[in-house]
Amino acid sequence: MSVTYIVSGFAVGLLVGLTGVGGGSLMTPLLTLLFGVSPTVAVGTDLAFASTTKIAGTFAHRYKGNVHWDIVKQLCLGALPAAVLTTLVLKYLGGLDKEIGQVIRYSIAGSVMLTVIALIFRTRLQNWMSAHPNRQFHGKKLVIATIVSGAILGTLVTISSIGAGAIGATILVLLYPRLTPAEIAGTDIAYAVPLTAIAALGHWWLGSIHWELLAMLLLGSVPGITLGSLASRAIPEKVLRVLLATTLTTVAFKLVY
């Protein structure tokens, strides 16, 4: 089983490094469906997994010059307070463990399907935004929209561990259509590091992290995301997007039924 965890961590890490998406969308359902981990523990463990894994990805993308730190800062201004507030709400509702677990399970399924929609329409959205520059935000409006988007993502990620990847990347496409795919991936991974770290600390406080499982996943994921980040410009994004969307649709269906 340890080997299976390591291989799973490597595969998810590789995909995250290549595209900037797929971490929570794949790992949390994988832990829930394949390994039988409870939804609450799956979310907490995945957040700790993501925060550590994406540090390696951030260094690799920074080396390639793919990270826009001003955008990272604005996203974090919204995401980090939202993550803390959501953690406090989960703590307050913690006595309803079974009910909360079911809510989280459906939250995961809903977030996965949002990820699929984001993946399918990402290129069309980018093309539409590029063709209609008058519809784009600028100046203070762009800053406010980025901060608000961060707050939404912070809430979603803390509840389900999903959203920082594909949904975050799609928001970046809409708000900053001139960024290249590699820059979107790098910026998306970089802002997700403090967000998932704060959310992971919250779940540690809630007691929903499986440390032994986390160690096995990280053994595979750190080299996987490093390799994927360095190779992000070489693999056709369309091929990865179709494969990921198909996989996630199947996962969301199994989570609900």
Side-chain angles (χ1 to χ4, degrees), residues 97-117:
D97 187 60
K98 184 177 179 181
E99 289 81 358
I100 292 299
Q102 192 65 23
V103 170
I104 291 175
R105 187 180 180 91
Y106 283 112
S107 296
I108 293 170
S111 298
V112 167
M113 285 312 301
L114 283 175
T115 302
V116 172
I117 294 170

Side-chain angles (χ1 to χ4, degrees), residues 32-256:
T32 304
L33 297 173
L34 186 59
F35 300 129
V37 178
S38 70
T40 49
V41 173
V43 169
T45 303
D46 180 53
L47 285 168
F49 162 82
S51 63
T52 308
T53 298
K54 291 187 177 186
I55 289 174
T58 298
F59 277 113
H61 276 288
R62 182 177 181 273
Y63 174 75
K64 292 286 187 177
N66 293 334
V67 181
H68 286 257
W69 294 105
D70 55 332
I71 301 175
V72 171
K73 179 181 177 180
Q74 292 165 17
L75 286 169
C76 288
L77 283 174
L80 302 189
V84 172
L85 181 60
T86 304
T87 300
L88 294 174
V89 173
L90 290 175
K91 179 66 174 180
Y92 177 76
L93 298 174
L96 304 172
D97 187 60
K98 184 177 179 181
E99 289 81 358
I100 292 299
Q102 192 65 23
V103 170
I104 291 175
R105 187 180 180 91
Y106 283 112
S107 296
I108 293 170
S111 298
V112 167
M113 285 312 301
L114 283 175
T115 302
V116 172
I117 294 170
L119 285 167
I120 292 173
F121 294 104
R122 181 168 152 186
T123 301
R124 293 183 183 179
L125 288 171
Q126 190 171 25
N127 292 337
W128 188 87
M129 291 299 295
S130 297
H132 298 82
N134 58 309
R135 299 294 181 90
Q136 298 173 22
F137 289 122
H138 299 282
K140 289 185 179 180
K141 288 185 178 180
L142 180 58
V143 172
I144 293 172
T146 304
I147 294 173
V148 171
S149 298
I152 295 171
L153 288 168
T155 302
L156 186 62
V157 168
T158 305
I159 293 175
S160 68
S161 83
I162 298 170
I167 299 174
T170 300
I171 288 174
L172 287 176
V173 168
L174 289 173
L175 296 179
Y176 303 91
R178 294 184 179 181
L179 295 183
T180 67
E183 288 172 335
I184 289 170
T187 303
D188 191 40
I189 289 174
Y191 101 86
V193 171
L195 169 57
T196 52
I198 292 291
L201 285 173
H203 278 271
W204 178 37
W205 180 48
L206 296 172
S208 53
I209 295 179
H210 192 309
W211 295 104
E212 183 179 353
L213 171 59
L214 173 62
M216 293 296 101
L217 294 172
L218 289 176
L219 278 176
S221 71
V222 172
I225 194 170
T226 302
L227 179 62
S229 297
L230 294 174
S232 60
R233 294 180 183 270
I235 307 298
E237 186 185 1
K238 185 176 181 180
V239 174
L240 289 170
R241 193 165 60 244
V242 171
L243 177 61
L244 185 57
T246 303
T247 303
L248 294 179
T249 302
T250 304
V251 164
F253 181 79
K254 287 187 175 182
L255 280 168
V256 175

